[in-house]
Amino acid sequence: MSRPEDTLAADVYYDDVEARKYTTSSRIQNIQASMTRRALELLNLKSPSLILDIGCGSGLSGEILSSVPEDEGGPHVWVGMDISASMLDIALQRDVEGDLLLADIGQGVPFRPGTFDAAISISAIQWLCNAENSETSPAGRLTRFFNGLYASLKRGGMAVCQFYPKNDAQKQMITSAAVKAGFGAGLLEDDPDTKNVKVYLVLTVGSSAVASKGGDITGVVDGMDNVEVLDNRKKAKSGKGEIKKGSKAWIIKKKEQMERKGKIVKATSKYTGRKRRPRF
């Protein structure tokens, strides 16, 4: 059975017919509600918060956010963004309580820095792994998305992204892009080794709790079962703990910074950073 993201772009696939079919399916409603509640459990919000719903669709997850009772930290205020105009049109017809934005997350997250307390995404970010034309690439789309998401969250904020990876390589591509953007990341799987497995990427932004968590960069998944903590960030150090300007390590670091911004850089080779002979 083919995956929807392998057939058409999201804004084309979810036309009026598919958007209506998705929203009115009782099976999908139940699954969406269950995964949204799981994401909220992982966020562990203690008070009403401003939440970004990434790939909000017709507002099924948003309804859960708006209905969280006071004794569980709610209700929450939310803003939803989605690439499908048909999905957002149904959300408007359903009179959801959140604000809605028509936007492609592969082009970034267009909000002011530090706007949101938290973010959730249900069954959306795997769509970023498909190139829609020769001018786009999965790596570039993932980079723009995670960089924008990182900036839009407050320091100490969190995001939980549930997604359906096609394979381990795709899972690694997504998590690596999140870590390169600066997130602390933990990967959690519910019902592992079954056809109903659900993958959650738990992301944190600059948590002060990291030092007390024994190196757990997420500061939140410490002690959870079946959680793989990811930290691919490496610090290159000179004798004084700083990278010498102009050195190979310094050049590589600058290249990585440019790649995170979606720019094209030359591949690193054995000649990178080499000293050149003086010319007369």
Side-chain angles (χ1 to χ4, degrees):
M1 182 177 179
S2 62
R3 296 162 61 99
E5 60 269 23
D6 290 338
T7 58
L8 293 169
D11 55 336
V12 178
Y13 180 85
Y14 286 111
D15 56 13
D16 291 345
V17 174
E18 285 296 329
R20 180 67 61 183
K21 188 188 301 183
Y22 186 97
T23 306
T24 56
S25 167
S26 58
R27 174 179 170 273
I28 289 177
Q29 289 176 9
N30 291 333
I31 293 174
Q32 188 94 0
S34 174
M35 293 190 296
T36 302
R37 293 190 180 98
R38 179 58 161 148
L40 281 171
E41 178 186 348
L42 294 170
L43 287 175
N44 193 28
L45 300 169
K46 302 299 185 183
S47 60
S49 303
L50 178 59
I51 300 177
L52 175 62
D53 186 356
I54 302 154
C56 65
S58 55
L60 296 179
S61 294
E63 287 184 327
I64 304 296
L65 301 178
S66 298
S67 62
V68 174
E70 290 185 15
D71 59 354
E72 295 181 14
H76 302 297
V77 177
W78 60 279
V79 176
M81 58 184 298
D82 200 282
I83 195 174
S84 170
S86 296
M87 279 288 200
L88 295 180
D89 184 52
I90 293 178
L92 289 172
Q93 294 175 29
R94 298 174 69 240
D95 197 25
V96 297
E97 296 186 24
D99 292 324
L100 304 172
L101 172 68
L102 178 64
D104 177 8
I105 62 175
Q107 298 302 317
V109 181
F111 295 97
R112 298 173 72 174
T115 297
F116 298 98
D117 300 304
I120 68 166
S121 180
I122 306 298
S123 308
I125 64 173
Q126 69 266 13
W127 289 84
L128 293 170
C129 295
N130 293 70
E132 298 173 1
N133 54 58
S134 60
E135 296 179 357
T136 62
S137 70
R141 291 173 61 77
L142 286 165
T143 294
R144 286 188 291 273
F145 166 64
F146 282 114
N147 283 349
L149 178 60
Y150 185 91
S152 72
L153 291 170
K154 294 180 179 178
R155 302 309 90 173
M158 290 179 56
V160 174
C161 301
Q162 179 276 326
F163 67 105
Y164 292 110
K166 183 188 300 184
N167 47 43
D168 287 341
Q170 192 176 89
K171 187 190 301 182
Q172 178 62 32
M173 180 167 60
I174 290 173
T175 52
S176 294
V179 171
K180 284 182 179 179
F183 283 107
L187 200 62
L188 182 146
E189 293 187 359
D190 284 347
D191 303 318
D193 302 319
T194 72
K195 65 178 182 179
N196 296 319
V197 60
K198 296 176 181 63
V199 179
Y200 296 84
L201 183 62
V202 183
L203 305 172
T204 59
V205 180
S207 174
S208 61
V210 173
S212 62
K213 291 289 183 179
D216 178 3
I217 57 174
T218 67
V220 292
V221 299
D222 183 47
M224 288 186 180
D225 294 330
N226 302 318
V227 181
E228 177 187 0
V229 177
L230 308 164
D231 187 4
N232 297 332
R233 295 171 292 183
K234 297 180 180 179
K235 296 181 179 179
K237 296 183 178 181
S238 64
K240 296 183 179 180
E242 296 181 356
I243 300 175
K244 184 179 179 182
K245 185 174 182 179
S247 66
K248 184 172 183 178
W250 182 85
I251 294 172
I252 292 173
K253 182 180 179 181
K254 289 296 182 182
K255 284 185 176 183
E256 290 175 349
Q257 290 174 346
M258 293 176 70
E259 286 178 340
R260 287 198 295 269
K261 295 178 181 178
K263 297 181 179 180
I264 299 175
V265 299
K266 291 184 178 180
T268 299
S269 72
K270 65 180 182 180
Y271 301 109
T272 300
R274 74 188 188 281
K275 291 183 178 180
R276 300 176 182 271
R277 294 179 180 179
R279 293 183 179 180
F280 297 94

